[in-house]
Amino acid sequence: MDLNVKIYADGAKLADMQAVAAQGLVTGFTTNPSLMKAAGITDYLAFAQKAVATFPDQSISFEVFGNTPDRMLAEAKVLAGLGQHVAVKVPIIRANGEDNAAVIRELSNAGVQVNVTAITTLTQVKLAVDALNATVGGIVSVFAGRVADTGVDPLPLMRQAAGLCHTKEHVELLWASTREVFNVVQAEQTGCDIITVPPKILAKLAKFGTPAVQVSVDTVKTFDADIASLGFTIPVTE
């Protein structure tokens, strides 16, 4: 697999993170509150500290939990202090509809690597890029998969987002909410710098480049194995 886009693992289970790291496929990690909930994490800070200790030289993103500017700023400073490769995820918008541009700008100007998350529109991309310090840089995470879930083609948005992000040298565009292996190809084609991939999709990357006929043969082999294991038969009259 010869691609320029960097692959980050998306999840919150340390064992899964270690497993994909051992395969040499990923160069960083991201997580979020929903993934934390699914993984059964009960002590966020303890998990974050352990994750940073496990992957001290790789980019790893942790999200603030607060929903007010003051709280987000305070939490971000704690998270940023966990390690030099930590990126602090700050949603571009709060649940009340107000944006977090001021929070992002203050953190970025203070030298914090910010991963601006939950982005779904070009206006939000512009807001994020404008708020990020050109010298410090940062990550702009566009939720392409969630845009596609609404029945809208995310590719035009990602191409335009790449153009905006790359007006600042150290700002990277991240394809978020990956749904299938082909999204990795699409991220590459649209100029994304990073794509976050969940473990179940990472497991499929081994099939990358497999000839279509072989996929067909493998599919039938799977059917045959399942039929044999279930003992299914269809009675026929000779």
Side-chain angles (χ1 to χ4, degrees):
M1 186 167 59
D2 186 19
L3 297 171
N4 292 317
V5 64
K6 294 183 288 188
I7 297 176
Y8 284 9
D10 195 23
K13 293 183 178 179
L14 197 58
D16 288 346
M17 294 165 71
Q18 290 173 304
V20 297
Q23 296 171 18
L25 293 173
V26 303
T27 58
F29 302 91
T30 60
T31 188
N32 63 48
S34 296
L35 292 171
M36 292 282 183
K37 178 182 178 181
I41 301 298
T42 57
D43 189 329
Y44 182 34
L45 196 56
F47 167 78
Q49 290 169 330
K50 190 171 183 179
V52 171
T54 304
F55 308 103
D57 301 318
Q58 292 180 291
S59 175
I60 183 164
S61 295
F62 298 109
E63 189 162 340
V64 295
F65 284 179
N67 55 19
T68 65
D70 288 345
R71 183 68 186 182
M72 285 187 283
L73 287 168
E75 292 177 353
K77 291 172 184 176
V78 173
L79 294 173
L82 294 176
Q84 66 179 45
H85 297 295
V86 169
V88 178
K89 295 180 76 171
V90 177
I92 189 63
I93 195 172
R94 299 196 291 280
N96 63 5
E98 296 178 2
D99 69 70
N100 285 321
V103 172
I104 296 162
R105 182 173 289 105
E106 182 170 340
L107 290 171
S108 189
N109 286 339
V112 174
Q113 182 79 0
V114 180
N115 180 340
V116 188
T117 189
I119 293 173
T120 58
T121 73
L122 196 61
T123 297
Q124 291 175 336
V125 173
K126 293 177 181 177
L127 202 63
V129 173
D130 183 62
L132 291 170
N133 185 294
T135 301
V136 176
I139 300 171
V140 175
S141 292
V142 180
F143 280 52
R146 296 200 181 208
V147 171
D149 287 344
T150 69
V152 174
D153 180 1
L155 299 188
L157 168 63
M158 300 310 288
R159 292 190 186 96
Q160 291 175 292
L164 286 171
C165 289
H166 298 157
T167 60
K168 288 188 176 179
E169 185 178 358
H170 301 292
V171 173
E172 296 184 294
L173 174 63
L174 183 150
W175 177 301
S177 62
T178 297
R179 301 294 193 246
E180 57 188 7
V181 171
F182 190 61
N183 290 159
V184 178
V185 177
Q186 292 174 315
E188 170 89 358
Q189 293 174 339
T190 53
C192 295
D193 303 286
I194 309 165
I195 181 170
T196 54
V197 185
K200 66 180 180 180
I201 303 298
L202 284 171
K204 295 181 180 181
L205 289 181
K207 299 179 181 179
F208 199 91
T210 302
V213 172
Q214 186 60 51
V215 173
S216 183
V217 170
D218 291 343
T219 300
V220 175
K221 286 181 177 179
T222 300
F223 290 162
D224 287 348
D226 290 341
I227 290 168
S229 66
L230 291 169
F232 281 172
T233 59
I234 298 175
V236 296
T237 301
E238 297 293 340

